[in-house]
């Protein structure tokens, strides 16, 4: 709805901060967390270290689609007006509409009521002239700041002769502001969209009016039916999709498109918030069911609104969560737990909440990273976890020591990516475009397109359902995971370095590896058809210095495809590697890496 907090920056090694439930362990963990960078500046790499270490259960819970993502204004704070700006606009607009010389002016009356909510002292009142523009008031900034914590009461102020939502609809012009088509999704929305496409963010209740998540999903998934948006009670009857967004405080775009049906669903006024549960007999029980049955991850949500607190209070009365629970039943993306989050823990764990348990609960629930670095790190964690699972599906006979080496290779590659990125929209957009390019080449031998989406998931299922997907073992994606693990091992051992593909150059491959023999463009092909299409689509030519890593056997030689002018002449420089053949020659990883290295000739 309205907007306030967030993060990205420095790094720290927190891989093994703490484990166990002893008092000494929790005390040590609390001290370690206090020593971490603030949530607003923690780096992606340091956040990943948290997910690998003390917050591993939460990360695995996300990878298994166990968590419900409760989303608040913090995820859109850099795209939408914050509460102080909202307060200033209310003050300035009401003052500008005062009829000079009319002491009974309805706008003067409303402005006076708003100023009263800022609780000015007698001296401040003496310096506040309602006949002058608020920007000239000596205490303008102070009064606006005080209204931040009173925003719902401020918006509940009425103007004589106007609808109850006059301040929201006519003064703030909220529907147009929050549905402005010129506003692009931020990193948080893009990461949520990618997690949704990967099938691990299936339930997302949100108090926000903007449609930035919807735009992010469209930018990554194109016209594919990935996201269901629920605003009105009847919407809950629609078929569920891979991801489901519940806009329980209304939707600005819906209000613009159909004012008669959706204007009254925009929740902001204190009277609406206080009466929300009684006025929403469909949505309220629907959300309570999430709280009762699935763990909660709060992102950018302060939980200060009484209707949200009421939902959690009813849920604990229905069926409280035991503590400890695995994964943790509550997690908050915050720098520190506030009074409202602590109150939620007290409510939902009430049977086990005690002075002895309280420090454990609070340390467990706090994820000290704001949504930007946390969501990007969760994405990297989930994708890596899926690739690890695919190695097991594609090579079930791997010895544990060999499996672990390939897993280490994947983590090495993941960490190098994390070291080179920060959670801003441009970088995240490029990351997902790079990933989508590689996976689209792998599966189809082509490039991503806006209609079908620029992003292609590893799988559309969460981690725990992947073993039941009988299509994975023959899809070529398992061999892609093994090859990625080998490439990561080579990176860790200094056998080669990696550079990203040039997205502006359709012929630059999926990734570029630099070895002793120089750079080579790397392509992946899940099938013979995909490999053929790399040529027919003009993505690779016979004279390229390139490597095609086939998931299955190498296809027979095909006619040459001189789709573009040769960069040089002479013998073909394309090397083709069959992962199926390599694995058939033995799965001991050191030997496998040596044979892989020999065939890619880097």
């Amino acid at each position: 709805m309205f907007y306030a907090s967030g993060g990205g920056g420095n790094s720290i090694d927190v891989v093994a901060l703490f484990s166990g439930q002893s008092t000494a362990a929790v005390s040590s963990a609390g001290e370690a967390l206090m020593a971490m960078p603030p949530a607003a500046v923690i780096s992606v790499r340091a956040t990943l270290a948290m997910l690998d270490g003390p917050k591993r259960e939460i990360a695995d819970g996300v990878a298994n689609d166990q968590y419900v993502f409760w989303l608040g204004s913090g995820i859109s704070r850099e795209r939408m007006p914050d509460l102080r700006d909202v307060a200033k606009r209310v003050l300035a607009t009401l003052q500008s509409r005062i009829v000079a010389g009319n002491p009974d002016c309805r706008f003067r009356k409303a402005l006076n009521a708003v100023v009263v909510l800022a609780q000015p002292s007698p001296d401040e009142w003496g310096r506040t002239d309602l006949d002058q523009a608020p920007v000239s008031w000596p205490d303008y900034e102070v009064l606006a700041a005080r209204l931040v914590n009173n925003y719902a009461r401020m918006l509940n102020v009425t103007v004589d002769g106007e609808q109850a939502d006059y301040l929201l609809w006519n003064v703030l012009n909220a529907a147009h502001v929050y549905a402005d088509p010129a506003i692009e999704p931020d990193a948080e929305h893009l990461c949520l969209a990618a997690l949704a496409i990967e099938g691990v963010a299936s339930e997302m209740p949100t108090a926000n009016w903007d449609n930035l998540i919807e735009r992010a999903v469209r930018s990554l998934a194109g016209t594919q039916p990935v996201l269901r948006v629920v605003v009105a009670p009847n919407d809950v009857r629609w078929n569920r999709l891979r991801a489901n967004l519940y806009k329980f405080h209304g939707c600005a775009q819906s209000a613009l498109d159909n004012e008669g049906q959706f204007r009254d669903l925009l929740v902001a006024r204190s009277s609406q918030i206080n009466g929300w549960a009684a006025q929403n007999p469909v949505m309220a029980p629907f959300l309570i069911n999430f709280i009762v049955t699935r763990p909660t991850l709060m992102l950018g949500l302060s939980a200060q609104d009484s209707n949200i607190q009421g939902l959690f209070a009813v849920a604990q009365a229905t069926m409280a969560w035991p503590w400890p629970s695995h994964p943790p039943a509550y997690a908050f993306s915050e720098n520190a737990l506030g009074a409202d989050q602590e109150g939620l823990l007290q409510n939902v764990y009430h049977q086990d909440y005690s002075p002895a348990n309280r420090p454990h609960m609070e340390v467990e629930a706090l994820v000290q990273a704001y949504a930007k670095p946390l969501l990007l790190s969760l994405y990297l964690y989930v994708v890596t976890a899926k690739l690890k699972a695919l190695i097991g599906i594609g090579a079930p006979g791997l010895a544990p020591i060999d499996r672990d080496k390939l897993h280490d290779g994947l983590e090495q590659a993941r960490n190098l990516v994390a070291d080179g990125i920060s959670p801003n929209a441009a970088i995240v957009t490029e990351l997902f475009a790079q990933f989508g390019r590689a996976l689209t080449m792998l599966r189809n031998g082509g490039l991503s397109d806006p209609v079908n989406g620029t992003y292609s998931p590893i799988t559309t299922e969460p981690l725990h359902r992947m073993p039941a997907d009988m299509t994975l073992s023959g899809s070529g994606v398992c061999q892609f995971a093994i090859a990625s693990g080998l490439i990561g091992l080579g990176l860790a051992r200094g056998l080669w370095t990696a550079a990203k593909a040039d997205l502006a150059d359709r012929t630059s491959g999926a990734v570029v590896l630099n070895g002793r023999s120089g750079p080579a463009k790397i392509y992946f092909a899940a099938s013979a058809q995909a490999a053929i299409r790399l040529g027919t689509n003009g993505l690779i030519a016979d004279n390229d210095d390139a490597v095609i890593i086939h998931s299955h056997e190498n296809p027979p030689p095909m006619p040459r495809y001189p789709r573009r002018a040769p960069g040089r002449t002479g013998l073909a420089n394309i090397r083709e590697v069959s992962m199926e053949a390599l694995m058939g020659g033995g799965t001991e990883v050191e030997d496998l890496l040596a044979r892989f290295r020999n065939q890619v000739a880097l």
Side-chain angles (χ1 to χ4, degrees), residues 482 486 582-583 586-596:
I482 295 168
L486 292 172
L582 275 178
M583 296 291 289
T587 58
E588 195 278 322
V589 164
E590 296 300 332
D591 177 59
L592 188 61
L593 178 61
R595 288 184 282 118
F596 178 82

Side-chain angles (χ1 to χ4, degrees), residues 298-362:
M298 285 195 177
L299 296 149
L301 185 65
S302 66
Q304 68 177 346
D305 288 341
S306 61
N307 64 327
I308 297 175
Q309 294 178 11
L311 290 174
F312 283 85
V314 172
Q316 65 87 15
T318 304
M319 186 169 68
W321 282 88
W323 185 87
S325 54
H326 304 284
Y330 286 85
F332 304 97
S333 170
E334 294 286 350
N335 189 57
L337 296 189
D340 293 312
Q341 287 95 1
E342 290 175 359
L344 282 183
L345 293 179
Q346 186 170 355
N347 281 336
V348 300
Y349 288 141
H350 70 103
Q351 294 171 338
D352 299 303
Y353 196 85
S354 68
N357 289 339
R358 183 171 62 242
H360 301 254
M361 291 175 175
E362 293 178 356

Side-chain angles (χ1 to χ4, degrees), residues 165-446:
D165 65 351
Y166 180 81
L167 292 189
L168 182 71
W169 191 262
N170 299 89
V171 171
L172 295 178
N173 197 21
H176 287 89
V177 169
Y178 290 90
D180 184 350
I183 299 175
E184 295 293 330
D186 207 345
E188 297 97 323
H189 312 103
L190 292 164
C191 290
L192 285 166
L195 290 168
I197 295 168
E198 290 285 350
V200 300
S202 63
E203 312 293 357
M204 295 183 286
T206 180
N208 297 350
W209 300 328
D210 65 66
N211 57 352
L212 296 179
I213 291 175
E214 297 95 310
R215 290 179 192 170
V217 172
R218 282 196 298 272
S219 73
L220 297 186
T223 58
Q224 297 178 63
V226 170
L227 182 69
R228 176 183 71 150
V229 180
V230 174
V231 182
N234 191 59
D235 296 346
V236 301
R237 292 173 171 160
W238 297 353
N239 286 339
R240 287 176 44 76
L241 292 177
R242 201 181 316 165
N244 302 272
L245 184 66
Y246 305 91
K247 305 183 81 167
F248 61 89
H249 276 185
C251 173
Q253 188 64 57
S254 296
L256 275 183
D257 295 341
N258 188 341
E259 180 180 339
Q261 181 179 358
F262 292 101
R263 173 176 171 175
D264 289 344
L265 297 182
L266 291 177
V267 174
R269 308 190 313 275
S270 57
S271 57
Q272 292 176 298
I273 292 170
N274 294 335
W276 184 88
Q279 296 161 9
N280 287 271
V282 174
M283 186 70 80
F286 204 83
L287 298 180
I288 289 168
N289 182 62
F290 286 149
I291 302 167
V292 169
T293 59
R294 296 181 60 173
T296 290
L297 173 58
M298 285 195 177
L299 296 149
L301 185 65
S302 66
Q304 68 177 346
D305 288 341
S306 61
N307 64 327
I308 297 175
Q309 294 178 11
L311 290 174
F312 283 85
V314 172
Q316 65 87 15
T318 304
M319 186 169 68
W321 282 88
W323 185 87
S325 54
H326 304 284
Y330 286 85
F332 304 97
S333 170
E334 294 286 350
N335 189 57
L337 296 189
D340 293 312
Q341 287 95 1
E342 290 175 359
L344 282 183
L345 293 179
Q346 186 170 355
N347 281 336
V348 300
Y349 288 141
H350 70 103
Q351 294 171 338
D352 299 303
Y353 196 85
S354 68
N357 289 339
R358 183 171 62 242
H360 301 254
M361 291 175 175
E362 293 178 356
V363 168
E364 177 188 78
L366 176 63
V367 183
Q368 199 171 339
Y370 285 137
K372 268 185 166 64
L374 178 58
L375 286 169
L376 182 50
S377 300
L378 281 170
Y379 167 78
L380 293 173
Y381 185 95
V382 166
V383 166
T384 306
K386 285 190 170 188
L387 290 171
K388 290 177 181 179
L390 288 169
I391 289 174
I393 293 170
L398 268 180
I401 188 173
D402 295 310
R403 178 201 61 212
D404 290 346
K405 286 180 180 179
L406 290 175
H407 288 186
D408 289 344
L410 291 173
E411 288 189 5
Q412 173 68 18
R414 179 203 71 178
N415 292 343
L416 287 174
V417 171
D419 286 337
I421 60 176
S422 59
N424 70 60
I427 291 173
V428 169
T429 298
E430 182 182 8
L431 173 68
F432 293 157
Q434 292 278 357
F435 197 81
R437 173 190 178 107
L439 269 292
T440 303
M441 284 185 182
L442 169 76
R443 292 184 171 116
N444 305 323

